[in-house]
Amino acid sequence: ILKGHAGWITGVAWSADGRRIVTGALDPTLRVWDPASGRELLRIDTGLWSDCVALSPDGRQALSGGRDHVVRLWDLGTGKEVRRFEGHSGEIYTVAFSPDGRQALSGGADKVIRLWDVATGEEMRRFEGHTDRVACVVFTPDGRRALSAGWDKTVRLWEVAGGRELQRFEGHRDFVLDRKSVV
């Protein structure tokens, strides 16, 4: 049991090696945990509610997104904000790192998925097609494609390099909210 947040926990991510968990909440903090002991390793007072979090493949950085329409990159060694990814016009509901950690995806209320260069913070591409809020994004293990889903009751497969929608999966009777639902 990981105890410490004073507000709703809105995002959870595991490190690839299983040695860290990062959580975001409405208290407003990001916290890094040791899952073996349950001990809090780091607390970052963000001053912002975080609706979603993701851990880089090497576990050294985290992404968070929230109600201010900005995705933030955090250094988990220092607890400092490294970079901001700006361009969304609505709340951010989902963030994901590519398998190599060089790119990131974000999506949310503006119905657009954005691909970011993690090193520069520059927007590389937009994926457009959802007709309602985007609730989840995830890269495929090879990083060449991405899956998204949301309030329009669809799951979509995208080509990352060109931004082209490859396939649309329809049939859900309600919105898809959890990225584990599309993996």
Side-chain angles (χ1 to χ4, degrees):
I1 297 174
L2 307 176
K3 290 187 177 185
H5 282 292
W8 290 353
I9 297 171
T10 54
V12 177
W14 280 86
S15 64
D17 64 7
R19 296 174 56 189
R20 286 183 169 188
I21 296 171
V22 66
T23 55
L26 304 184
D27 54 9
T29 64
L30 292 180
R31 295 173 192 233
V32 180
W33 307 87
D34 173 3
S37 68
R39 190 171 62 91
E40 183 181 296
L41 302 173
L42 176 68
R43 177 184 310 168
I44 302 171
D45 294 314
T46 64
L48 305 159
W49 290 1
S50 298
D51 289 328
C52 52
V53 295
L55 266 168
S56 62
D58 64 10
R60 295 180 185 166
Q61 296 180 313
L63 290 169
S64 68
R67 296 181 179 174
D68 68 345
H69 313 175
V70 176
V71 176
R72 288 177 168 75
L73 179 68
W74 302 92
D75 181 310
L76 298 183
T78 65
K80 302 292 183 198
E81 182 181 310
V82 176
R83 183 164 293 106
R84 292 180 183 201
F85 306 86
E86 299 185 60
H88 281 285
S89 62
E91 187 170 351
I92 310 296
Y93 299 133
T94 182
V95 290
F97 276 100
S98 63
D100 64 7
R102 295 180 183 175
Q103 298 174 332
L105 288 169
S106 60
D110 64 4
K111 308 174 198 168
V112 177
I113 301 158
R114 296 175 192 272
L115 178 69
W116 306 96
D117 182 307
V118 172
T120 66
E122 296 296 317
E123 181 180 308
M124 301 171 68
R125 185 163 293 102
R126 290 182 191 188
F127 304 83
E128 298 184 74
H130 279 284
T131 59
D132 206 339
R133 296 170 283 179
V134 177
C136 49
V137 293
V138 63
F139 283 92
T140 57
D142 64 8
R144 295 175 45 210
R145 292 168 306 236
L147 286 166
S148 63
W151 274 261
D152 65 2
K153 304 174 191 169
T154 67
V155 176
R156 296 170 191 244
L157 179 65
W158 305 90
E159 174 190 53
V160 172
R164 184 170 59 101
E165 183 181 311
L166 299 172
Q167 194 162 359
R168 184 178 310 161
F169 304 94
E170 298 177 293
H172 285 280
R173 290 187 271 192
D174 213 340
F175 42 80
V176 182
L177 293 179
D178 186 353
R179 74 177 152 161
K180 290 159 206 68
S181 302
V182 296
V183 175

